[in-house]
Amino acid sequence: MRIEAEQTQCMIIDMQEKLMAAMSGRKRCESRAIMLIKGLRVLGIPMLVTQQYTMGLGNSIPEVFEAVEKEEYFDKRTFSCTKDEAILSELQKNNKGVVLICGTEAHVCVLQTCIDLKKLGYTPVLVTDAIASRKKEDKKMALKRAEQEGILLTTSEAVLFELLADSRHPKFREISTLVK
């Protein structure tokens, strides 16, 4: 299946300060997620940011809001983002069947969201270098489970170039500069 810009939106799940501080491979996850978000912004891909229990876990890392260029987020208490009516409504409003997923934790909110998106008829695409868990084993098992569930896996760089589709795309140079 080809991932096309016209059919794609993105969810940035729970990249909150208190959570990110505890993540294994945090720096890599953050840098790849921020690169992805900036690239998606350049390409005009709709994005939404979620935060798990903001009052207790704090806001998303500032780099997320800087990359998205707005400080809007959906506060949730559910693990699967699809179980929150406001988030689901926003996804439906965007009217894009492919949902790129990045964020934390890979084995909890990220995985449950992917599984439920698929059940709802969306095509979730897990951006594997832009997700994290506290423990490496949990991320590893989340990826294995996602594959078993038929979730598409990709990387941030791969999906940005797939969305471009052609080196003659007017945003090619901007995206190329971002991924270097």
Side-chain angles (χ1 to χ4, degrees):
M1 180 198 115
R2 173 72 74 166
I3 301 167
E4 298 172 331
E6 301 77 28
Q7 295 301 317
T8 302
Q9 60 184 314
C10 179
M11 294 182 70
I12 303 145
I13 300 176
D14 307 346
M15 291 190 71
Q16 292 158 265
E17 292 170 336
K18 288 183 182 176
L19 284 174
M20 292 308 295
M23 293 301 114
S24 173
R26 171 184 147 215
K27 292 292 183 191
R28 173 113 172 114
C29 173
E30 286 178 6
S31 70
R32 301 311 281 181
I34 298 308
M35 181 197 70
L36 173 69
I37 294 164
K38 287 179 179 178
L40 296 175
R41 190 186 73 236
V42 165
L43 296 172
I45 304 296
M47 294 178 273
L48 62 97
V49 176
T50 71
Q51 294 183 174
Q52 180 73 27
Y53 182 56
T54 304
M55 192 167 80
L57 296 173
N59 279 317
S60 295
I61 57 173
E63 295 85 354
V64 165
F65 291 130
E66 290 167 19
V68 175
E69 290 190 336
K70 59 184 175 181
E71 286 199 34
E72 296 173 9
Y73 63 88
F74 290 85
D75 190 39
K76 66 182 181 68
R77 297 298 288 268
T78 60
F79 296 129
S80 171
C81 294
T82 67
K83 302 296 185 190
D84 182 283
E85 286 191 32
I87 295 169
L88 187 56
S89 176
E90 185 70 12
L91 283 173
Q92 292 167 337
K93 185 177 90 177
N94 288 335
N95 196 29
K96 313 269 184 190
V98 175
V99 185
L100 302 177
I101 304 289
C102 64
T104 65
E105 279 194 71
H107 64 294
V108 184
C109 297
V110 168
L111 179 62
Q112 289 182 36
T113 298
C114 286
I115 292 169
D116 290 342
L117 281 168
K118 185 164 180 160
K119 183 178 178 183
L120 290 169
Y122 290 91
T123 301
V125 179
L126 189 53
V127 184
T128 61
D129 59 345
I131 62 170
S133 290
R134 284 170 291 154
K135 298 177 186 133
K136 289 179 184 179
E137 182 68 14
D138 286 329
K139 179 181 174 182
K140 179 181 170 185
M141 291 311 296
L143 291 171
K144 185 174 181 175
R145 172 78 186 276
E147 277 191 298
Q148 291 170 341
E149 295 289 342
I151 308 301
L152 295 177
L153 305 180
T154 192
T155 64
S156 51
E157 182 173 337
V159 77
L160 287 173
F161 282 111
E162 187 170 351
L163 291 166
L164 285 173
D166 192 316
S167 64
R168 294 170 293 192
H169 189 288
K171 301 295 183 177
F172 173 75
R173 286 196 186 277
E174 243 179 300
I175 297 299
S176 290
T177 300
L178 272 174
V179 301
K180 288 182 179 176

